[in-house]
Amino acid sequence: MKKYVVKRGKSGLPAKLTRYREELNEEQFKVVTSKPGPALVIAGAGTGKTRTITYRVAYLLEQGVSPDRIFLATFTNRAAREMLGRVESLTGSQNVHRVWGGTFHRIANLILRKHGSSIGFDANYSILDSEDSRDFINVCIDESAIDTKSKRFPKANVVQNIISYANNTAHPIDKVIVGKYPYFEMLTKQIERVAFNYAERKRERNVMDYDDLLLHWKFLLEEKPKIAELYAEQFQHILVDEYQDTNRLQAEIIDLLAVRHRNVMVVGDDAQSIFAWRGAEFTNIYEFGERYPDAKGYKLEKNYRSTPEILGLANTSIAGNKKQFAKVLEAAKPSSGILPALVPCSDVDQQSAFIASRILELRDEGTSLEEMAVVYRSHYHSVELQLELTKRNIPYRVQSGIRFFEQAHLKDVISYLKIIVNPRDELAWKRILKMIPGIGNVTAGKVFEKVAAATFRDGEIGGPGDSGLFAELDDPESTASEKDEPRVAVSQALRVTESLRAFKPRVAKPWERFVSLIESLVSDENRDNPAKQIELVLTSGYEEHLQANYENAEARMEDLQGLAMYAAKYEKTEDFLSELALISTERFQEPQGVSGEDVVMGGEEDEYLTLTSVHQAKGLEWKAVFLIWAAEGKFPSPRSLRELESEEEERRLWYVALTRAKDELYLTYPLIMIDYQRQAVLQKPSRFITECPPALFEVWDLEEEAAQWDDPVELEEKKTEFLN
């Protein structure tokens, strides 16, 4: 076979290269104009990664590469659209839309629509969303003849996450359960049976879920050589953005597509790999050189986001990780002379007061709320701050979309406290009743009717005329109206003896546990201790409820423990609930009906401070960033310190937090914390602070502003009151 090399005209190329040199720095220019072949680009935070990829695609097009022979995998479809839109403006080409750009799942869908029939799927297959997938799994649980009542079987969304994690990491389900869901280990065989039936049912119904798109794409490339050769030939150049966040399945697909030309350029930052918990395989970026021994390495280290002072701290912090590609970010911005501020606070209230005060000062100095953010390791760290911001009328958005106290697990536990304070709270009663295994909407309604009747009617509670659930109580002579506290009436109403016969046997034990919990909550010892009440709820079955209903049960448990610590400063449960209501009722004119991962926003002209976890903040930036609860045991998270790799991921998370700041960075932590037993606990700064030289920080010494009274008589009275 005779080979013929097609020669293309080179008119205008030098001028274009000259333009590239003017618009790119030397590091970026080397990447953009690199020769064909495998390439690993380590792009540090704020170094123009997106710009570099965009110019690389434009360069390939101007070199004569056909757009439909370029594969561009991005973390979001929006990122791909923005990149390709910029490419079109750079090149003036009208054919940029022919580039195969988007997420792995989008491109998988395009290919499976063409070739799915070769692996048993019709071209008109449906794609299940998360809700549809859960419905399918529920059917499979029923069909698998599993007794979900004798042992607490995980809900469909938890099974869904077990299956998904196994698929994306290429780990067998039994290994996933042992590693991430050990409390379901005795149910491994049943969960495996459900997973098998789920896969079979999807195939029979000609449907795929989100993970199937990648699984079947890989299967297609492995089992159908002719189709694999077609795409291996077509994709002459492959570019992958955010490579450190790919999972094993995605990395293997890239290798299968790149087998012919081997022109694969992966771009990412190992120091920003923070999603191992959802299946990302950060080792992909370290092993790239092993899979492609001839790969050329490039580094983007010139940072255009942050000041030299902020980068000095970030560089020193990440140097503590043993496993990494060494790099040192260099600031393109001139020195501001402002070091990152280390702000020890006397307690969490002073921490919140300082942040709110400083935010208002910065706004007065010309930095809008939109240019400021408060970041934290875990959502419960923002509890006190949300209250302080609300009190000061500082509008804010929570990047995850749901404010702390509006999350389901928080509302569950708070509902227990609500019925203790107000036994007539029907919604709270029904919410907690439906968490008892075997009790649904109908039974919950009937139980509440009996509770209400027994607690509030005039006359005897559960008297001779009452033959319902509460037909026989310990103290039939008591009446709700005779009680000084309605909580005592709640306890009386739940002391059930003969009424337990009205329940099916499987409900009896959970009901007894529930009754015992309520009686503990209203006891003299606990009745005015909201922190203790929350602790009792957590240790009386709610933790098992979390494990069975949520895939991130451990993180939610942390939230609730944080809620208990927050509640410890209140002397009465009523006061605690009143403060929560202050946050819940103040909406700053934001849209109602918040759900899922939608970001809460106001109108275009509104101005909001951003509150966000570090995970949600990745890829974003602000002029001023406050990193709160920078204390040992809070950041890093204690549950993440079980092994060396987890500590290094926490340090990468810390690094991501630091590099969100452009001009000003504040690290705050309370010196004293009150735990849920109302004991003062001394806090130490995070190890990520103490491992850095003190010269990298400016320590702020906070002083409380003296209270002032306009009325001298009132001032004298306050002095006397204080002295006495």
Side-chain angles (χ1 to χ4, degrees):
M1 182 181 294
K2 181 177 180 179
K3 290 188 176 182
Y4 181 85
V5 179
V6 179
K7 300 179 180 62
R8 298 184 180 271
K10 297 183 179 180
S11 59
L13 186 59
K16 291 176 181 177
L17 284 177
T18 299
R19 187 191 67 183
Y20 280 17
R21 280 200 177 277
E22 292 175 350
E23 298 178 3
L24 301 170
N25 65 35
E26 188 62 30
E27 295 173 340
Q28 296 168 339
F29 182 80
K30 287 180 179 178
V31 174
V32 167
T33 60
S34 63
K35 294 181 179 180
L40 172 62
V41 183
I42 303 300
T47 57
K49 170 179 64 69
T50 300
R51 183 181 184 84
T52 302
I53 296 172
T54 299
Y55 274 77
R56 175 63 175 175
V57 175
Y59 177 77
L60 292 174
L61 293 175
E62 291 177 345
Q63 287 286 81
V65 178
S66 178
D68 58 6
R69 302 199 69 185
I70 299 175
F71 176 106
L72 172 62
T74 56
F75 205 62
T76 65
N77 289 316
R78 178 182 177 182
R81 289 194 298 269
E82 291 176 351
M83 286 184 192
L84 295 178
R86 178 62 176 152
V87 169
E88 186 172 356
S89 66
L90 284 172
T91 63
S93 172
Q94 300 300 312
N95 296 319
V96 173
H97 67 278
R98 290 167 50 201
V99 171
W100 289 66
T103 63
F104 280 91
H105 296 87
R106 176 182 182 273
I107 297 171
N109 183 49
L110 294 175
I111 291 175
L112 290 172
R113 292 293 180 190
K114 292 183 178 181
H115 307 287
S117 59
S118 66
I119 57 172
F121 286 90
D122 295 337
N124 65 339
Y125 63 82
S126 301
I127 300 176
L128 301 175
D129 61 22
S130 293
E131 184 178 353
D132 293 336
S133 176
R134 288 193 294 272
D135 290 342
F136 254 57
I137 290 174
N138 272 324
V139 173
C140 294
I141 291 173
D142 293 339
E143 289 182 344
S144 300
I146 296 172
D147 183 4
T148 59
K149 306 302 182 183
S150 60
K151 293 183 179 179
R152 191 183 287 266
F153 195 78
K155 296 292 185 182
N157 63 307
V158 179
V159 176
Q160 179 185 35
N161 277 276
I162 292 172
I163 295 171
S164 178
Y165 190 87
N167 287 337
N168 284 290
T169 59
H171 292 153
I173 284 179
D174 61 335
K175 292 290 195 294
V176 172
I177 292 173
V178 169
K180 291 178 65 67
Y181 303 86
Y183 35 84
F184 292 134
E185 191 171 353
M186 75 294 294
L187 299 171
T188 297
K189 294 298 181 184
Q190 292 94 317
I191 294 172
E192 288 177 333
R193 186 158 75 248
V194 170
F196 176 81
N197 291 342
Y198 177 56
E200 290 298 304
R201 188 177 188 85
K202 286 184 293 182
R203 185 173 290 277
E204 291 171 1
R205 303 298 192 276
N206 194 41
V207 298
M208 300 185 196
D209 64 20
Y210 204 54
D211 296 325
D212 289 331
L213 295 172
L214 299 187
L215 284 171
H216 294 316
W217 185 14
K218 182 191 173 189
F219 181 79
L220 182 73
L221 296 175
E222 290 178 329
E223 300 299 322
K224 303 298 176 182
K226 290 186 178 180
I227 296 175
E229 290 171 8
L230 172 69
Y231 287 100
E233 174 60 35
Q234 175 165 347
F235 295 136
Q236 185 179 351
H237 287 272
I238 297 173
L239 297 94
V240 185
D241 188 18
E242 302 285 9
Y243 190 69
Q244 80 281 350
D245 291 330
T246 56
N247 58 41
R248 180 176 296 185
L249 193 54
Q250 292 165 330
E252 290 173 347
I253 288 171
I254 290 298
D255 291 345
L256 290 168
L257 294 175
V259 68
R260 171 71 175 84
H261 298 289
R262 303 184 78 255
N263 297 329
V264 53
M265 175 180 285
V266 298
V267 185
D269 183 6
D270 60 306
Q272 296 188 70
S273 178
I274 59 174
F275 294 115
W277 53 276
R278 69 182 187 193
E281 191 69 57
F282 79 99
T283 56
N284 285 343
I285 200 166
Y286 294 120
E287 295 172 355
F288 185 81
E290 298 174 10
R291 300 200 303 277
Y292 298 89
D294 55 334
K296 293 185 177 179
Y298 301 89
K299 291 181 181 179
L300 302 182
E301 298 176 292
K302 192 166 187 178
N303 177 285
Y304 293 90
R305 175 186 299 155
S306 305
T307 63
E309 291 78 10
I310 293 172
L311 292 184
L313 178 59
N315 287 329
T316 304
S317 292
I318 198 61
N321 273 7
K322 295 180 179 179
K323 190 168 187 177
Q324 64 170 308
F325 292 110
K327 60 183 173 299
V328 177
L329 296 181
E330 176 189 351
K333 298 171 69 170
S335 172
S336 65
I338 302 174
L339 288 171
L342 179 60
V343 190
C345 306
S346 60
D347 54 28
V348 67
D349 290 328
Q350 189 182 59
Q351 176 178 249
S352 300
F354 162 72
I355 292 168
S357 178
R358 185 60 183 149
I359 284 170
L360 292 175
E361 287 178 352
L362 289 171
R363 190 175 185 277
D364 289 343
E365 294 168 6
T367 302
S368 73
L369 294 179
E370 292 289 335
E371 287 288 346
M372 291 183 269
V374 179
V375 300
Y376 36 79
R377 173 62 182 87
S378 300
H379 281 295
Y380 75 87
H381 293 167
S382 69
V383 176
E384 293 86 0
L385 180 61
Q386 288 193 36
L387 182 61
E388 184 70 21
L389 295 173
T390 303
K391 287 179 177 178
R392 298 207 189 195
N393 201 30
I394 301 175
Y396 65 92
R397 68 166 69 93
V398 181
Q399 192 69 24
S400 65
I402 303 178
R403 296 190 179 205
F404 183 76
F405 295 111
E406 294 169 353
Q407 299 177 86
H409 56 299
L410 275 298
K411 294 179 75 172
D412 285 347
V413 173
I414 291 169
S415 291
Y416 281 92
L417 276 61
K418 284 184 175 181
I419 68 164
I420 302 308
V421 171
N422 175 20
R424 302 190 190 198
D425 193 326
E426 180 177 0
L427 293 179
W429 267 108
K430 289 182 177 179
R431 187 180 188 99
I432 61 178
L433 286 168
K434 287 188 289 186
M435 286 188 281
I436 301 173
I439 294 184
N441 288 323
V442 175
T443 304
K446 291 180 179 178
V447 172
F448 174 74
E449 289 175 5
K450 294 294 183 180
V451 170
T455 307
F456 298 110
R457 71 164 178 264
D458 291 330
E460 296 180 350
I461 302 179
D466 188 350
S467 58
L469 282 174
F470 299 90
E472 187 173 335
L473 304 171
D474 286 351
D475 184 8
E477 300 302 323
S478 300
T479 62
S481 59
E482 294 172 348
K483 303 300 181 182
D484 293 330
E485 293 289 343
R487 287 168 293 180
V488 178
V490 174
S491 178
Q492 291 282 55
L494 290 179
R495 287 175 184 161
V496 182
T497 55
E498 292 298 319
S499 60
L500 288 176
R501 295 176 182 174
F503 288 114
K504 296 178 181 179
R506 62 183 173 84
V507 182
K509 286 187 177 180
W511 178 257
E512 290 175 351
R513 191 178 189 182
F514 173 71
V515 171
S516 177
L517 170 60
I518 297 298
E519 291 180 334
S520 296
L521 294 176
V522 298
S523 68
D524 290 340
E525 180 184 1
N526 302 319
R527 60 192 297 176
D528 281 322
N529 189 337
K532 182 62 176 178
Q533 290 171 337
I534 293 170
E535 181 193 0
L536 287 169
V537 173
L538 300 186
T539 57
S540 299
Y542 192 76
E543 184 171 8
E544 290 92 328
H545 175 81
L546 286 177
Q547 293 169 349
N549 288 274
Y550 300 104
E551 74 280 2
N552 57 344
E554 201 168 0
R556 290 176 186 259
M557 194 65 180
E558 275 189 2
D559 284 347
L560 293 166
Q561 289 166 346
L563 179 70
M565 288 188 289
Y566 174 67
K569 61 183 174 180
Y570 293 93
E571 296 297 327
K572 291 187 177 182
T573 305
E574 292 94 327
D575 296 339
F576 171 62
L577 293 177
S578 295
E579 287 288 81
L580 301 194
L582 180 62
I583 295 178
S584 300
T585 56
E586 178 55 78
R587 299 290 306 183
F588 302 117
Q589 287 74 52
E590 292 178 353
Q592 301 296 314
V594 182
S595 63
E597 289 299 314
D598 297 329
V599 175
V600 181
M601 287 188 172
E604 292 182 358
E605 296 180 1
D606 291 335
E607 185 183 341
Y608 291 99
L609 171 73
T610 295
L611 272 58
T612 176
S613 69
V614 185
H615 284 103
Q616 293 279 346
K618 187 173 180 295
L620 304 176
E621 60 183 34
W622 297 272
K623 284 186 177 180
V625 169
F626 296 81
L627 176 55
I628 65 174
W629 278 102
E632 190 68 8
K634 295 296 185 291
F635 202 155
S637 166
R639 62 187 168 90
S640 67
L641 298 178
R642 297 167 185 164
E643 52 191 23
L644 177 62
E645 286 188 359
S646 295
E647 180 178 342
E648 295 214 340
E649 173 141 340
E650 286 291 298
R651 190 175 283 104
R652 293 194 294 269
L653 196 62
W654 178 268
Y655 173 81
V656 168
L658 301 184
T659 54
R660 299 311 93 199
K662 295 197 284 188
D663 299 324
E664 296 187 44
L665 175 63
Y666 300 85
L667 310 178
T668 72
Y669 68 95
L671 292 167
I672 295 176
M673 178 191 74
I674 305 299
D675 65 15
Y676 58 83
Q677 295 179 336
R678 296 179 175 171
Q679 300 294 316
V681 179
L682 188 63
Q683 297 284 289
K684 297 189 296 184
S686 167
R687 67 186 64 188
F688 301 146
I689 290 175
T690 57
E691 65 190 15
C692 293
L696 295 177
F697 303 99
E698 180 181 50
V699 180
W700 286 31
D701 183 17
L702 301 185
E703 293 182 0
E704 291 288 347
E705 183 180 52
Q708 296 181 8
W709 289 271
D710 294 331
D711 187 343
V713 176
E714 182 182 0
L715 176 58
E716 192 62 33
E717 290 176 352
K718 289 293 180 182
K719 286 182 179 179
T720 304
E721 180 183 339
F722 176 76
L723 291 173
N724 291 335

